[in-house]
Amino acid sequence: MPIRDAATVILLRRDGTPRVLMGQRGASAVFMPNKFVFPGGAVDPNDALVAPTGLCHETLQALQDDSDADAQALVAAAIRELWEETGQMLGVPGDWADPPRGWRGFAASGHRPTAAGMRFFFRAVTPQGAPRRFDARFFLVDATALITDPDDFGRAEDELSHLQWVDLKAARALDLPFITEVALAELAAHLANPAAPLTVPFFRNDDERHLISRLGGRRPLDHAPEV
């Protein structure tokens, strides 16, 4: 099974108890049906034609570590998928005369994409045996970076339903993919100790079996600190 590059956004809201934006995949989806996930998806070839502003050198370098993927395209894909699946926008005002396919709705709003505030946070490869496999990069973004109303999902496409802001404790009750649990546990650890150096864990495709063994069969979120 070929492994496709993908990008995901962990959108974090801190006006009260820390919450993340999640939605539920459809029951007929080939990949992770019915699961609650962060917005994200595969990199589109046209994403390589997009140059988001504000991409910091540190993030660019981290994305290039142990990777041949186009770092700029990964960032662009994350912004596009967030826009398509939730209607939320990371952008700055600007004209865009000839946007590529997949970006025309974004451009029609009078904005161009920006990576300001995006931090490369987590990376994971789908384990063998899945119907589709991805090398996914997770970007952590504070909701204050949005230029849209964080409670308005009226422009979202229908790939994700039940879009909602979920606090990390409530997320334990949702039907989550294993890797999403791992990412949420990493986020809880980061929020519990924000002064610690932010590294980028790389969850490789053989790690799930080993991690389950180390956890004694318990869920990753059972080991996460309270925030």
Side-chain angles (χ1 to χ4, degrees):
M1 178 68 65
I3 300 175
R4 297 185 63 187
D5 289 310
T8 294
V9 175
I10 304 175
L11 198 59
L12 176 64
R13 194 167 176 178
R14 308 193 208 205
D15 52 347
T17 302
R19 293 169 288 165
V20 291
L21 182 58
M22 306 189 78
Q24 187 175 31
R25 292 180 58 80
S28 61
V30 174
F31 186 69
M32 296 184 178
N34 295 315
K35 297 290 188 180
F36 277 86
V37 296
F38 306 118
V43 176
D44 186 272
N46 284 342
D47 293 330
L49 305 177
V50 177
T53 64
L55 179 58
C56 73
H57 181 68
E58 181 182 22
T59 296
L60 183 63
Q61 280 194 316
L63 287 168
Q64 292 173 333
D65 185 30
D66 196 15
S67 173
D68 295 326
D70 184 329
Q72 182 173 280
L74 289 166
V75 173
I79 297 170
R80 176 182 54 76
E81 289 286 344
L82 178 68
W83 162 250
E84 291 176 352
E85 294 186 347
T86 72
Q88 299 298 329
M89 181 179 287
L90 297 170
V92 291
D95 295 328
W96 200 348
D98 189 24
R101 290 180 63 88
W103 285 91
R104 293 172 185 172
F106 195 106
S109 73
H111 295 84
R112 299 183 69 96
T114 179
M118 295 180 69
R119 301 176 70 178
F120 183 28
F121 182 74
F122 188 67
R123 181 180 176 186
V125 177
T126 309
Q128 297 182 19
R132 292 177 182 168
R133 299 188 66 198
F134 299 96
D135 186 347
R137 283 72 164 187
F138 293 67
F139 295 91
L140 180 61
V141 186
D142 197 280
T144 56
L146 296 172
I147 60 170
T148 41
D149 179 349
D151 294 310
D152 181 5
F153 305 120
R155 289 171 291 189
E157 297 180 0
D158 59 0
E159 187 170 346
L160 294 180
S161 62
H162 301 101
L163 286 164
Q164 59 190 283
W165 293 95
V166 183
D167 72 55
L168 272 60
K169 182 179 292 187
R172 300 167 193 256
L174 298 178
D175 185 7
L176 303 173
F178 181 81
I179 197 60
T180 303
E181 288 203 26
V182 177
L184 284 169
E186 291 287 343
L187 177 60
H190 170 63
L191 293 176
N193 188 14
L198 184 58
T199 59
V200 181
F202 185 1
F203 192 85
R204 298 176 188 270
N205 59 34
D206 60 348
D207 286 351
E208 182 169 335
R209 174 170 49 84
H210 296 157
L211 182 56
I212 291 173
S213 176
R214 291 201 303 272
L215 295 177
R218 298 173 65 194
R219 298 174 61 184
L221 281 174
D222 292 339
H223 291 261
E226 296 288 344
V227 293

